Amino acid sequence: MRLIADGTTAASRTVLLNELETDDGYAFELDSPLFLAVGDRVSFEGSNLVVARVSGERLRPAGSWSTRCPIGYYHPATTS
């Protein structure tokens, strides 16, 4: 499922979250899985993940950043 981590777009369904991948090849890997409920909002403040619950509670789950793939395109070797 694609989540928009802008802090204003609410989750449309319940989701078990263990990592968030960015479009530019990075991922935030949570130390332990987290359930997002319908209406929860996800954002990043600096390099920290923040989950705003519908109740108003704000969570800052622990995790770390990693690189998924190098930025750029992969060109496989051609054989002739």
Side-chain angles (χ1 to χ4, degrees), residues 14-45:
T14 302
V15 177
L16 177 61
L17 185 67
N18 60 3
E19 66 185 21
L20 287 150
E21 247 180 74
T22 66
D23 291 335
D24 56 357
Y26 295 96
F28 186 81
E29 299 175 0
L30 290 146
D31 289 348
S32 58
L34 173 72
F35 274 105
L36 291 181
V38 174
D40 287 351
R41 298 179 319 271
V42 178
S43 64
F44 287 98
E45 292 178 2

Side-chain angles (χ1 to χ4, degrees), residues 2-9 20 41-45 49-50:
R2 184 177 185 90
L3 293 175
I4 299 173
D6 62 2
T8 58
T9 305
L20 287 150
R41 298 179 319 271
V42 178
S43 64
F44 287 98
E45 292 178 2
L49 176 67
V50 177

Side-chain angles (χ1 to χ4, degrees), residues 60-75:
R60 296 180 190 278
S64 59
W65 286 96
S66 65
T67 303
R68 285 288 183 223
C69 59
I71 296 174
Y73 295 98
Y74 173 70
H75 300 285

Side-chain angles (χ1 to χ4, degrees), residues 44-58:
F44 287 98
E45 292 178 2
S47 61
N48 300 311
L49 176 67
V50 177
V51 177
R53 300 280 191 197
V54 174
S55 66
E57 178 184 13
R58 291 173 54 88

